[in-house]
Amino acid sequence: RIEIRRQLFDLTKRGIELGFLSKSDRDIAPELAPIESAAGAYADAARAIDARLLESASTSRLTAAQQTRINQLLIAADRAWLSEDGIPGRPWFRSLYAASDEDSGYASWILPGLRWCIEHKDKAQLVHETDRLLAVLNHLNAVMAEIDTTLKN
């Protein structure tokens, strides 16, 4: 289970501290709101699929072909977070979900592309990173829909 909303809250707090993100009456900056919405839709879809998978597994209703296809789709979901371009400033880090911090390498940055934009106050890159995360979340939603279809067949 991913906790994107919590990460967006923390990123908002950091962005406001640096004077980079806009304050609002909400706890998520307006610049990050599209990600919050997409992450919420994904979380809802994933919870529903999780419940259906548990039910199907507990009643032994999954065929070998369904199990194989669902496993392939879950691997695809995991790989959706990988980017050939890597993250800003460190293209060798391919995960858009997590990377070590850029200073010590010991702390972690969750949603490292967004964190980099905030730390470097780069609005143009923030738009690009937002688009990349929205593409990941849309892909994850499509994977959940395909798992749902597989469960129905």
Coordinates of all heavy atoms in Angstrom, one line a residue, residues 90-153:
R90 N 19.9 13.0 -11.1 CA 20.4 11.7 -10.9 C 19.7 10.7 -11.8 O 18.9 9.9 -11.3 CB 20.3 11.3 -9.4 CG 21.1 12.2 -8.5 CD 21.0 11.9 -7.0 NE 19.6 12.2 -6.6 CZ 19.1 11.7 -5.5 NH1 19.8 10.9 -4.7 NH2 17.9 12.0 -5.1
P91 N 20.1 10.6 -13.0 CA 19.4 9.8 -14.0 C 19.6 8.3 -13.7 O 18.8 7.5 -14.2 CB 19.9 10.2 -15.3 CG 21.2 10.8 -15.0 CD 21.1 11.5 -13.7
W92 N 20.5 7.9 -12.9 CA 20.8 6.5 -12.6 C 19.7 6.0 -11.6 O 19.6 4.8 -11.5 CB 22.2 6.3 -12.1 CG 22.6 7.1 -10.9 CD1 22.4 6.8 -9.6 CD2 23.1 8.4 -10.9 NE1 22.8 7.9 -8.8 CE2 23.3 8.9 -9.6 CE3 23.5 9.3 -11.9 CZ2 23.8 10.1 -9.3 CZ3 24.0 10.5 -11.6 CH2 24.2 10.9 -10.3
F93 N 19.1 6.9 -10.9 CA 17.9 6.4 -10.0 C 16.7 6.4 -10.9 O 16.2 7.4 -11.3 CB 17.7 7.4 -8.8 CG 18.7 7.2 -7.7 CD1 19.7 8.1 -7.5 CD2 18.5 6.1 -6.8 CE1 20.6 7.9 -6.4 CE2 19.4 5.9 -5.8 CZ 20.4 6.8 -5.6
R94 N 16.2 5.2 -11.1 CA 15.1 5.1 -12.1 C 13.7 5.1 -11.4 O 12.7 5.2 -12.0 CB 15.3 3.8 -12.9 CG 16.5 3.9 -13.8 CD 16.7 2.6 -14.6 NE 15.5 2.3 -15.4 CZ 15.0 1.1 -15.5 NH1 15.6 0.1 -15.0 NH2 13.9 1.0 -16.3
S95 N 13.7 4.9 -10.1 CA 12.4 4.8 -9.4 C 11.8 6.2 -9.1 O 12.5 7.1 -8.5 CB 12.5 4.1 -8.0 OG 11.3 4.2 -7.3
L96 N 10.6 6.4 -9.6 CA 9.9 7.7 -9.3 C 9.2 7.7 -8.0 O 8.7 8.7 -7.5 CB 8.9 8.0 -10.4 CG 9.4 8.1 -11.8 CD1 8.2 8.3 -12.8 CD2 10.4 9.2 -11.9
Y97 N 9.3 6.5 -7.3 CA 8.6 6.4 -6.0 C 9.6 6.7 -4.8 O 9.3 7.4 -3.9 CB 8.0 5.0 -5.8 CG 7.2 5.0 -4.5 CD1 6.0 5.7 -4.3 CD2 7.7 4.3 -3.4 CE1 5.4 5.6 -3.1 CE2 7.1 4.3 -2.2 CZ 5.9 4.9 -2.1 OH 5.2 4.9 -0.9
A98 N 10.8 6.2 -4.9 CA 11.8 6.4 -3.8 C 13.2 6.4 -4.3 O 13.6 5.7 -5.2 CB 11.6 5.3 -2.7
A99 N 14.0 7.2 -3.6 CA 15.5 7.3 -3.9 C 16.1 7.8 -2.6 O 15.5 8.4 -1.8 CB 15.8 8.2 -5.1
S100 N 17.4 7.6 -2.5 CA 18.1 8.2 -1.4 C 18.2 9.7 -1.6 O 18.1 10.2 -2.7 CB 19.5 7.6 -1.2 OG 20.3 7.8 -2.4
D101 N 18.4 10.4 -0.5 CA 18.5 11.9 -0.6 C 19.8 12.2 -1.4 O 20.7 11.4 -1.5 CB 18.5 12.5 0.8 CG 19.8 12.3 1.5 OD1 20.4 11.2 1.5 OD2 20.2 13.3 2.2
E102 N 19.8 13.4 -1.9 CA 21.0 13.8 -2.7 C 22.2 14.3 -2.0 O 23.3 14.5 -2.5 CB 20.6 14.8 -3.8 CG 20.2 16.2 -3.2 CD 19.8 17.1 -4.3 OE1 19.7 16.8 -5.5 OE2 19.5 18.3 -4.0
D103 N 22.1 14.4 -0.7 CA 23.2 14.9 0.1 C 24.0 13.8 0.7 O 25.2 13.6 0.4 CB 22.7 15.9 1.2 CG 22.1 17.2 0.6 OD1 22.6 17.6 -0.4 OD2 21.1 17.7 1.2
S104 N 23.4 13.1 1.7 CA 24.2 12.0 2.4 C 24.0 10.7 1.7 O 24.9 9.8 1.9 CB 23.7 12.0 3.8 OG 22.4 11.4 3.9
G105 N 22.9 10.4 1.1 CA 22.6 9.1 0.5 C 22.0 8.1 1.6 O 21.7 7.0 1.3
Y106 N 21.9 8.6 2.8 CA 21.4 7.7 3.9 C 19.9 7.9 4.1 O 19.2 7.0 4.4 CB 22.1 8.0 5.2 CG 23.5 7.5 5.1 CD1 24.6 8.4 4.9 CD2 23.8 6.1 5.1 CE1 25.9 7.9 4.8 CE2 25.1 5.7 5.0 CZ 26.1 6.6 4.9 OH 27.4 6.1 4.8
A107 N 19.4 9.1 3.9 CA 17.9 9.3 4.1 C 17.2 9.0 2.8 O 17.8 8.9 1.8 CB 17.7 10.8 4.5
S108 N 15.9 8.8 2.9 CA 15.2 8.5 1.7 C 14.3 9.7 1.3 O 13.9 10.5 2.1 CB 14.3 7.3 1.9 OG 13.3 7.5 2.9
W109 N 14.1 9.9 0.0 CA 13.2 10.8 -0.6 C 12.1 10.0 -1.2 O 12.3 9.2 -2.1 CB 13.8 11.7 -1.6 CG 14.6 12.9 -1.1 CD1 14.9 13.2 0.2 CD2 15.2 13.8 -1.9 NE1 15.6 14.4 0.2 CE2 15.9 14.8 -1.1 CE3 15.4 14.0 -3.3 CZ2 16.6 15.9 -1.5 CZ3 16.1 15.1 -3.7 CH2 16.7 16.1 -2.9
I110 N 10.9 10.1 -0.7 CA 9.7 9.5 -1.4 C 9.2 10.5 -2.4 O 9.2 11.7 -2.1 CB 8.6 9.1 -0.3 CG1 9.2 8.3 0.8 CG2 7.5 8.4 -1.0 CD1 9.9 7.0 0.3
L111 N 8.9 10.0 -3.6 CA 8.5 10.9 -4.7 C 9.7 11.9 -5.0 O 9.6 13.1 -4.9 CB 7.2 11.7 -4.5 CG 6.0 10.8 -4.1 CD1 4.8 11.6 -3.8 CD2 5.7 9.8 -5.2
P112 N 10.8 11.3 -5.3 CA 12.1 12.1 -5.3 C 12.1 13.2 -6.4 O 12.8 14.2 -6.2 CB 13.2 11.0 -5.6 CG 12.4 9.9 -6.2 CD 11.1 9.9 -5.6
G113 N 11.4 13.0 -7.5 CA 11.3 14.0 -8.5 C 10.6 15.3 -8.0 O 11.1 16.4 -8.2
L114 N 9.5 15.1 -7.3 CA 8.9 16.3 -6.6 C 9.8 16.9 -5.6 O 9.9 18.1 -5.5 CB 7.6 15.8 -6.0 CG 6.4 15.4 -6.9 CD1 5.2 15.0 -6.1 CD2 6.1 16.4 -8.0
R115 N 10.4 16.1 -4.8 CA 11.3 16.6 -3.7 C 12.4 17.4 -4.3 O 12.7 18.5 -3.8 CB 11.8 15.4 -2.9 CG 12.7 15.9 -1.7 CD 12.0 16.6 -0.6 NE 12.9 17.1 0.4 CZ 13.1 16.5 1.5 NH1 12.5 15.3 1.8 NH2 14.0 17.0 2.4
W116 N 13.0 16.9 -5.4 CA 14.1 17.6 -6.0 C 13.6 19.0 -6.5 O 14.3 20.0 -6.3 CB 14.6 16.8 -7.2 CG 15.8 17.5 -7.8 CD1 17.1 17.2 -7.5 CD2 15.9 18.5 -8.8 NE1 18.0 18.0 -8.3 CE2 17.2 18.8 -9.1 CE3 14.9 19.1 -9.6 CZ2 17.6 19.7 -10.1 CZ3 15.2 20.1 -10.5 CH2 16.6 20.4 -10.7
C117 N 12.4 19.0 -7.1 CA 11.9 20.3 -7.6 C 11.7 21.3 -6.5 O 11.9 22.5 -6.6 CB 10.5 20.1 -8.3 SG 10.7 19.1 -9.8
I118 N 11.2 20.8 -5.3 CA 11.0 21.7 -4.2 C 12.3 22.2 -3.6 O 12.4 23.4 -3.4 CB 10.1 20.9 -3.1 CG1 8.7 20.7 -3.7 CG2 10.1 21.7 -1.8 CD1 7.8 19.8 -2.9
E119 N 13.2 21.3 -3.4 CA 14.5 21.7 -2.9 C 15.3 22.7 -3.8 O 16.0 23.5 -3.3 CB 15.4 20.4 -2.6 CG 14.9 19.5 -1.6 CD 14.7 20.1 -0.2 OE1 15.6 21.0 0.2 OE2 13.9 19.7 0.6
H120 N 15.1 22.5 -5.1 CA 15.8 23.4 -6.0 C 14.9 24.5 -6.6 O 15.3 25.3 -7.4 CB 16.3 22.5 -7.2 CG 17.4 21.6 -6.8 ND1 18.7 21.9 -6.8 CD2 17.3 20.3 -6.3 CE1 19.4 20.9 -6.3 NE2 18.6 19.9 -6.0
K121 N 13.7 24.6 -6.1 CA 12.7 25.6 -6.4 C 12.6 25.8 -8.0 O 12.7 26.8 -8.5 CB 13.1 27.0 -5.8 CG 13.1 26.9 -4.3 CD 13.5 28.2 -3.7 CE 13.5 28.2 -2.2 NZ 13.9 29.4 -1.6
D122 N 12.3 24.6 -8.6 CA 12.3 24.6 -10.1 C 10.8 24.3 -10.5 O 10.4 23.2 -10.5 CB 13.2 23.5 -10.6 CG 13.4 23.5 -12.1 OD1 12.4 23.9 -12.8 OD2 14.4 23.1 -12.5
K123 N 10.1 25.4 -10.8 CA 8.7 25.3 -11.2 C 8.5 24.5 -12.5 O 7.5 23.7 -12.6 CB 8.0 26.7 -11.3 CG 7.9 27.4 -10.0 CD 6.6 27.1 -9.3 CE 6.5 28.0 -8.1 NZ 5.3 27.7 -7.3
A124 N 9.3 24.8 -13.5 CA 9.1 24.1 -14.7 C 9.3 22.6 -14.6 O 8.5 21.8 -15.1 CB 10.1 24.6 -15.8
Q125 N 10.3 22.2 -13.8 CA 10.5 20.7 -13.6 C 9.4 20.2 -12.8 O 9.0 19.0 -12.9 CB 11.9 20.5 -12.9 CG 12.3 19.0 -12.8 CD 12.5 18.4 -14.2 OE1 13.0 19.1 -15.1 NE2 12.3 17.1 -14.3
L126 N 8.8 21.0 -11.9 CA 7.7 20.5 -11.0 C 6.5 20.1 -11.9 O 5.9 19.1 -11.7 CB 7.3 21.6 -10.0 CG 6.1 21.2 -9.1 CD1 6.5 20.0 -8.2 CD2 5.6 22.4 -8.3
V127 N 6.3 20.9 -13.0 CA 5.2 20.6 -13.9 C 5.5 19.2 -14.6 O 4.6 18.4 -14.7 CB 5.0 21.7 -14.9 CG1 4.0 21.3 -16.0 CG2 4.5 23.0 -14.2
H128 N 6.7 19.1 -15.0 CA 7.1 17.8 -15.7 C 7.0 16.6 -14.7 O 6.5 15.6 -15.1 CB 8.6 18.0 -16.2 CG 9.1 16.7 -16.8 ND1 8.6 16.3 -18.0 CD2 10.1 15.9 -16.4 CE1 9.3 15.2 -18.4 NE2 10.2 14.9 -17.4
E129 N 7.5 16.8 -13.5 CA 7.4 15.7 -12.6 C 6.0 15.3 -12.2 O 5.7 14.2 -12.0 CB 8.3 16.0 -11.3 CG 9.8 16.1 -11.6 CD 10.4 14.8 -12.2 OE1 10.0 13.7 -11.8 OE2 11.2 15.0 -13.1
T130 N 5.2 16.3 -12.1 CA 3.7 16.1 -11.8 C 3.1 15.3 -13.0 O 2.4 14.3 -12.7 CB 3.0 17.4 -11.7 OG1 3.5 18.1 -10.5 CG2 1.5 17.2 -11.5
D131 N 3.5 15.7 -14.2 CA 2.9 14.9 -15.4 C 3.4 13.5 -15.3 O 2.7 12.5 -15.7 CB 3.4 15.6 -16.7 CG 2.6 16.9 -16.9 OD1 1.6 17.2 -16.3 OD2 3.1 17.7 -17.8
R132 N 4.7 13.3 -15.0 CA 5.2 11.9 -14.9 C 4.5 11.1 -13.9 O 4.1 9.9 -14.1 CB 6.7 11.9 -14.7 CG 7.5 12.4 -15.8 CD 8.9 12.0 -15.9 NE 9.7 12.1 -14.7 CZ 10.9 11.5 -14.5 NH1 11.4 10.8 -15.5 NH2 11.6 11.7 -13.4
L133 N 4.2 11.6 -12.7 CA 3.5 10.9 -11.7 C 2.1 10.6 -12.0 O 1.5 9.6 -11.7 CB 3.6 11.6 -10.3 CG 5.0 11.6 -9.7 CD1 5.0 12.4 -8.4 CD2 5.4 10.1 -9.3
L134 N 1.5 11.6 -12.7 CA 0.1 11.4 -13.2 C 0.0 10.2 -14.2 O -0.9 9.4 -14.1 CB -0.5 12.7 -13.8 CG -0.8 13.8 -12.7 CD1 -1.2 15.1 -13.5 CD2 -1.9 13.3 -11.8
A135 N 1.0 10.2 -15.0 CA 1.1 9.1 -16.0 C 1.3 7.7 -15.3 O 0.6 6.7 -15.6 CB 2.2 9.3 -17.0
V136 N 2.1 7.7 -14.2 CA 2.3 6.4 -13.5 C 0.9 6.0 -12.8 O 0.5 4.9 -12.9 CB 3.3 6.6 -12.4 CG1 3.3 5.5 -11.4 CG2 4.7 6.7 -13.0
L137 N 0.3 7.0 -12.2 CA -1.0 6.7 -11.5 C -2.1 6.3 -12.5 O -2.9 5.4 -12.2 CB -1.4 7.9 -10.6 CG -0.5 8.1 -9.4 CD1 -0.7 9.5 -8.8 CD2 -0.6 7.0 -8.4
N138 N -2.1 6.9 -13.6 CA -3.1 6.5 -14.6 C -2.8 5.1 -15.1 O -3.7 4.3 -15.3 CB -3.1 7.5 -15.8 CG -3.7 8.8 -15.4 OD1 -4.6 8.9 -14.5 ND2 -3.3 9.9 -16.1
H139 N -1.5 4.8 -15.3 CA -1.1 3.4 -15.7 C -1.5 2.4 -14.6 O -2.1 1.3 -14.9 CB 0.4 3.3 -16.0 CG 0.8 2.0 -16.4 ND1 0.6 1.5 -17.6 CD2 1.5 1.0 -15.6 CE1 1.1 0.2 -17.7 NE2 1.6 -0.1 -16.5
L140 N -1.3 2.8 -13.4 CA -1.7 1.9 -12.3 C -3.2 1.6 -12.2 O -3.7 0.5 -12.0 CB -1.2 2.4 -10.9 CG 0.3 2.4 -10.7 CD1 0.7 3.2 -9.5 CD2 0.8 1.0 -10.7
N141 N -4.0 2.7 -12.5 CA -5.4 2.5 -12.6 C -5.8 1.6 -13.7 O -6.7 0.8 -13.6 CB -6.1 3.9 -12.7 CG -6.3 4.6 -11.4 OD1 -6.7 3.9 -10.4 ND2 -6.1 5.9 -11.4
A142 N -5.1 1.7 -14.9 CA -5.4 0.8 -16.0 C -5.1 -0.6 -15.6 O -5.8 -1.5 -16.0 CB -4.6 1.3 -17.2
V143 N -4.0 -0.8 -14.9 CA -3.6 -2.2 -14.5 C -4.7 -2.7 -13.6 O -5.1 -3.9 -13.7 CB -2.2 -2.2 -13.8 CG1 -2.0 -3.5 -13.1 CG2 -1.1 -1.9 -14.8
M144 N -5.2 -1.9 -12.6 CA -6.3 -2.4 -11.7 C -7.5 -2.7 -12.5 O -8.2 -3.8 -12.2 CB -6.6 -1.3 -10.7 CG -5.5 -1.0 -9.7 SD -5.0 -2.4 -8.7 CE -3.3 -2.7 -9.4
A145 N -7.8 -2.0 -13.5 CA -9.0 -2.3 -14.4 C -8.8 -3.6 -15.1 O -9.7 -4.4 -15.3 CB -9.2 -1.1 -15.4
E146 N -7.6 -3.8 -15.6 CA -7.3 -5.1 -16.3 C -7.3 -6.3 -15.3 O -7.8 -7.4 -15.7 CB -5.9 -5.0 -17.0 CG -5.8 -6.1 -18.0 CD -4.6 -5.9 -19.0 OE1 -4.2 -4.8 -19.1 OE2 -4.3 -6.9 -19.6
I147 N -6.9 -6.1 -14.1 CA -7.0 -7.2 -13.1 C -8.5 -7.5 -12.9 O -8.9 -8.6 -12.8 CB -6.3 -6.8 -11.8 CG1 -4.7 -6.8 -12.0 CG2 -6.6 -7.8 -10.7 CD1 -3.9 -6.3 -10.9
D148 N -9.3 -6.4 -12.8 CA -10.7 -6.6 -12.6 C -11.3 -7.4 -13.7 O -12.1 -8.3 -13.5 CB -11.4 -5.2 -12.4 CG -12.8 -5.3 -12.1 OD1 -13.2 -6.0 -11.1 OD2 -13.7 -4.7 -12.8
T149 N -10.9 -7.1 -14.9 CA -11.4 -7.8 -16.1 C -11.0 -9.3 -16.0 O -11.8 -10.2 -16.3 CB -10.9 -7.2 -17.4 OG1 -11.4 -5.8 -17.4 CG2 -11.4 -7.9 -18.6
T150 N -9.8 -9.5 -15.6 CA -9.2 -10.9 -15.5 C -10.0 -11.6 -14.5 O -10.3 -12.8 -14.7 CB -7.7 -10.8 -15.2 OG1 -7.0 -10.1 -16.2 CG2 -7.2 -12.2 -15.1
L151 N -10.4 -11.0 -13.4 CA -11.1 -11.7 -12.3 C -12.5 -12.0 -12.8 O -13.1 -13.0 -12.3 CB -11.2 -10.8 -11.1 CG -9.9 -10.7 -10.3 CD1 -10.0 -9.6 -9.2 CD2 -9.5 -12.0 -9.6
K152 N -13.1 -11.2 -13.7 CA -14.5 -11.5 -14.1 C -14.5 -12.6 -15.2 O -15.6 -13.2 -15.4 CB -15.0 -10.2 -14.7 CG -15.3 -9.2 -13.7 CD -15.8 -7.9 -14.4 CE -16.1 -6.8 -13.3 NZ -16.5 -5.5 -13.9
N153 N -13.4 -12.9 -15.8 CA -13.4 -13.9 -16.9 C -13.1 -15.3 -16.3 O -12.6 -15.6 -15.4 CB -12.3 -13.6 -17.9 CG -12.7 -12.3 -18.7 OD1 -13.9 -12.0 -18.8 ND2 -11.7 -11.7 -19.3

